[in-house]
Structures are given as structure tokens and as C-alpha cells.
Amino acid sequence: MTDPGDGARFERIEELFAAACELPAEQQTAFLDERCAGDAALRAEVERLLERDRSPGSRAEQLERPAVEVVDVPGGTRAELAPPERIDRFRILGVLGAGGMGVVYAAEQDRPRRRLALKVLRGELVPADTLRRFEAEAEVLGRLHHPGIAHVYAAGSARTDAGVQPWLAMELVDGTRLDRWVARERPDDRVLLELVARVADAVHHAHEQGVVHRDLKPGNVLVRPDGQPVVVDFGIARVASAATEARTRTGDVLGTLPYMSPEQVAGRPEAVDARTDVYALGALAYELLTGQPPLDVAARPVPAALRAIAEEEPIALDLRAPRTRGDVATIVHRALAKERERRYGSAAELAADLRRFLRDEPIRARPPTAAYHLGKFARRNRALVAGLAAVFVVLAGGTAVSAVLSSRAEARRRAAVADEREADARRAEALAARAAE
């Protein structure tokens, strides 16, 4: 056992445990082989912590699960979850979805009488930061009124047998998750692009109210039977207000990796704005058109995934989907630009360009220039470019020396020719003089 008084060793154990937690289970053994070589006691301590972390019902397991995962069959039930008959002024009709820290019920409100979705947190399991996000979600949704955003009706808390449970009464969206809807309906590209434009309309409305969603993805968009997409789950949305800014810590990385922007993975909350959601909309469009996210980061360790999002460019859209060559690829890649200033300035601008394409009008986005691509290549391959530059300098220097030597040789040749001509002229004059005598 490690001596509890050995602070440095304890910090080392914590450091290795935290790093190992970020790796897939199959990579942890190799990681410990490398980092704990020759120190069996250190390895045993880290493995003990990892084993505890993996145990059923562990706090890590609860936190890794979504707080609430909404299924897409309104009115569906899951008897095994044994829903209560009532929560506060709501009669519970069935379970719509569940997660590690909460449940979404189909419910009926007493006054006014209406069916709705009741999102409830399990109070005894909720960390303070999760509760704050839940409260922020109620605040966020309360200020948004758009057909493409699920409405919130009321928020509060109720004392139940499980303790005090915060709840959020929301519009019951009769819809299917976007990715499942696409798999079922198999719409053509024009339908998909109009759908993305309508999602962008809803997101722009949120931006106008000072709200950045920060977690746009197929699972957070439901498609109604009439084709209207509805954006849901503003649980980690950012509200542009002093109160909310004070709750956002530098270094937080919030979101879903394949759809996160470079500024999100950098943990810079001050850089998160409307263009962060524009990036996610670009990732959404890319995946809908190709069946794959722009960057395949799901199987990578978290540090490698974050680095890829910050530095790697996605495979060109038109290489994966040649039918998108031209305007569509240009629009999507502008939304996915690593640099915020190169993206569309708003979700409305993205929606407008998509609709210009659908109307066969010129789009506003333009493909990146050759100089831009060259600059990106140089930044990604600094060592290679530095080596090529050195070779170029050597070659340029060699060419210059060769040119100087060649010039001097040519000057000597011309001087020799001139001397020879002058000698010929003198000989001719001498012969002429003899002939005159």
C-alpha cells in the first residue's frame, strides 16, 4: 500500500488514474505497462482504482451515461422502470426515455389539461453542476419560441419517495430522431439540405435570444411526421448573460466529440459563439450526405480525438459523395472551417446559402484559394516545409552560382572572339599593305 503521507506519490497515482480513464479499456494495460514499468506497487494502486471505477453502479458509470435519453415513440412505456402515478400536478402516463440521472415521462398536466413530456432528475444522484445545467435548460427554453424548438411550459421540483426531484415540463414532440428518420425515409439530397436549413432557422432563433446550443447532433433533432425538424436538449446550452458566464469554467469541454468545434475542444468558453453551432450544423450536413461524421474520432483516446478536431481536416465531402461536388461541398466545408472567422457568421447565413443552391442561384461562399490551402499545408507540415525551404535555398544558391560562373565564361568567350576578330583585321591590313607595295 502507498504511504498516505507521501503526497508526491499520491499525486502520481491520481495522474495515472485520470489518464487511464480517458483510454478505452483495451488500451489501459499497455498504458500501465509503459508508465508503471518497474513499480508493481504503483501499478497495483492504479489498477485498484480502475477496478472500482468500472464496478456496476459506480459514480463514473452514472456520469458517463446521458442524463436523459429521449426515445422517439411518444406515449411508449417501459414497465420495468415502474413510473409513479403522479409527480406534483402531473399524472404519469408512461416512460419516454431514461438515463443515468433522470427520466422523461409522458404525462398529463391537471391545469391546463394537456399532454406533455416531463423531464425529471433523480435528486439524490444529481451533482451540483448537473442540477445547475438542468436549471439553465429551463431558463434557456423559456425564452425560445419557434416551431423548430421544443417549448418549455414550466419548471419546479417535487418531494417524492425518492427525495426532492427537479422537473421540467416540456412540449411532447411527436417525432423521430434525425438519423433514424433518414435511415427510414431515405430522402434525396435536396430534402436533406432543406432539412438542415430548417434546423439552422431554429438555431438562429436561439442565437437571436443569446443562446448557443453547443450540442447539436442527430440525436438532438427530432423530425415530426410533417417533416418539421425540432431541436431538443438544451441541457448544456450557453446563455449570454453575466449569471451564466460566471458558471462556465475555463477548461470545460462540453458537447459530443464528432460535432464539437475546435474552440470547444480547446476548452475556451470565451470563444464559443453562434459560429460554434454553425460548425455543428456543417458536421450534421456532412454526416447526412455521406453517412459518416467529418472526422472519425469515436474509437480514438480522448486526447487524440481532441487533437484531431483541432488540427485535422476532414476528407473532402465530394470525395466521399461525388454528387456534392461544387456548391454543396463548398457550403459544407465553409461551415466546417477550423478558423471561426472563415465560417458563416450566423446560422441564418448558412441556411440562406443552402436555399440559394436549392433555387439554382449563385451561393455567397467561395472555395478556399490555392494560397489558403498552401498555408494550411505549411502549418500542418512545418518540418517538411522547413526542409523543402532549405533545399530550395540550396538549389537557389547553386543556381545563382552557376549563373554567375556561366556569365563569366560567356564574357570570356566574347572577349576571346573579339580579340580574334581584331587579330584577323590586323592581319588583313598587313596583307593589303604588302600588296600595295
Side-chain angles (χ1 to χ4, degrees):
M1 292 292 289
T2 302
D3 179 6
D6 188 348
R9 189 168 179 80
F10 182 76
E11 288 179 4
R12 178 64 174 158
I13 291 170
E14 277 200 315
E15 174 190 332
L16 291 174
F17 169 67
C21 283
E22 293 183 344
L23 299 175
E26 61 273 13
Q27 296 181 20
Q28 290 176 353
T29 299
F31 172 79
L32 294 178
D33 287 343
E34 177 185 347
R35 297 298 185 89
C36 300
D39 193 336
L42 175 64
R43 178 173 186 144
E45 288 289 350
V46 177
E47 287 180 333
R48 182 176 60 82
L49 291 175
L50 288 171
E51 183 63 30
R52 180 183 298 174
D53 186 65
R54 287 191 292 264
S55 64
S58 70
R59 179 174 176 81
E61 182 183 82
Q62 294 166 0
L63 292 175
E64 285 172 4
R65 298 172 64 188
V68 176
E69 180 182 4
V70 181
V71 298
D72 55 19
V73 184
T77 62
R78 296 183 181 180
E80 67 274 16
L81 293 177
E85 291 186 5
R86 295 188 67 84
I87 293 179
D88 206 333
R89 56 183 181 273
F90 306 99
R91 184 167 66 91
I92 305 303
L93 304 177
V95 177
L96 296 177
M101 295 182 187
V103 182
V104 176
Y105 297 109
E108 184 177 72
Q109 183 175 337
D110 292 341
R111 294 182 182 177
R113 187 171 297 279
R114 57 186 170 191
R115 288 171 61 92
L116 47 75
L118 189 68
K119 187 173 182 177
V120 180
L121 292 188
R122 296 169 180 155
E124 76 281 5
L125 296 177
V126 180
D129 59 345
T130 301
L131 181 58
R132 284 196 298 270
R133 287 178 195 160
F134 188 80
E135 293 168 346
E137 182 180 11
E139 176 188 348
V140 166
L141 289 174
R143 66 171 71 179
L144 305 181
H145 301 282
H146 189 277
I149 297 175
H151 301 160
V152 64
Y153 300 133
S157 61
R159 184 169 294 280
T160 69
D161 293 340
V164 176
Q165 294 186 289
W167 55 259
L168 184 62
M170 305 168 58
E171 175 188 3
L172 182 60
V173 179
D174 179 10
T176 304
R177 270 181 52 145
L178 177 58
D179 48 355
R180 297 174 187 170
W181 183 86
V182 170
R184 186 186 71 199
E185 300 295 330
R186 298 186 180 278
D188 62 27
D189 286 355
R190 297 184 70 83
V191 171
L192 289 176
L193 294 174
E194 175 58 31
L195 193 109
V196 173
R198 295 173 80 175
V199 174
D201 292 339
V203 171
H204 180 65
H205 171 75
H207 294 167
E208 288 182 315
Q209 306 305 312
V211 176
V212 182
H213 190 287
R214 294 203 296 180
D215 197 23
L216 293 170
K217 57 185 177 182
N220 282 342
V221 178
L222 302 179
V223 184
R224 297 182 188 274
D226 63 0
Q228 171 66 48
V230 179
V231 180
V232 298
D233 202 348
F234 282 74
I236 66 167
R238 182 176 179 186
V239 186
S241 69
T244 302
E245 293 297 330
R247 292 195 297 265
T248 303
R249 300 186 307 274
T250 300
D252 280 350
V253 179
L254 301 174
T256 304
L257 280 174
Y259 312 94
M260 290 173 67
S261 67
E263 60 269 20
Q264 277 179 287
V265 302
R268 296 187 296 120
E270 77 285 352
V272 172
D273 60 16
R275 292 168 293 184
T276 299
D277 283 347
V278 168
Y279 181 96
L281 289 166
L284 196 68
Y286 189 107
E287 183 169 347
L288 293 179
L289 293 166
T290 68
Q292 303 174 68
L295 293 170
D296 183 11
V297 297
R300 303 192 197 189
V302 172
L306 299 180
R307 186 164 54 252
I309 293 168
E311 299 175 1
E312 290 183 17
E313 294 292 341
I315 294 174
L317 178 66
D318 53 7
L319 290 181
R320 283 183 164 169
R323 67 188 186 280
T324 65
R325 183 172 292 114
D327 285 352
V328 174
T330 297
I331 291 170
V332 173
H333 281 287
R334 178 167 179 183
L336 284 171
K338 299 291 185 189
E339 304 86 353
R340 291 183 305 157
E341 63 274 9
R342 290 196 58 251
R343 296 177 209 151
Y344 289 98
S346 69
E349 291 180 16
L350 170 59
D353 243 3
L354 288 170
R355 291 187 171 114
R356 288 187 188 96
F357 167 78
L358 293 173
R359 293 193 300 265
D360 295 320
E361 297 174 0
I363 64 172
R364 297 287 174 83
R366 289 292 177 266
T369 63
Y372 172 78
H373 281 303
L374 184 60
K376 293 287 285 185
F377 177 83
R379 285 193 290 274
R380 290 197 307 271
N381 302 274
R382 296 180 190 277
L384 175 61
V385 171
L388 290 175
V391 171
F392 176 79
V393 169
V394 171
L395 290 175
T399 301
V401 170
S402 298
V404 170
L405 294 176
S406 176
S407 176
R408 290 177 179 174
E410 177 65 17
R412 287 195 296 270
R413 186 188 68 78
R414 289 178 180 176
V417 169
D419 290 344
E420 184 66 25
R421 287 176 178 172
E422 186 176 349
D424 288 343
R426 286 198 297 270
R427 284 195 294 271
E429 289 175 0
L431 290 173
R434 291 194 193 98
E437 292 175 353

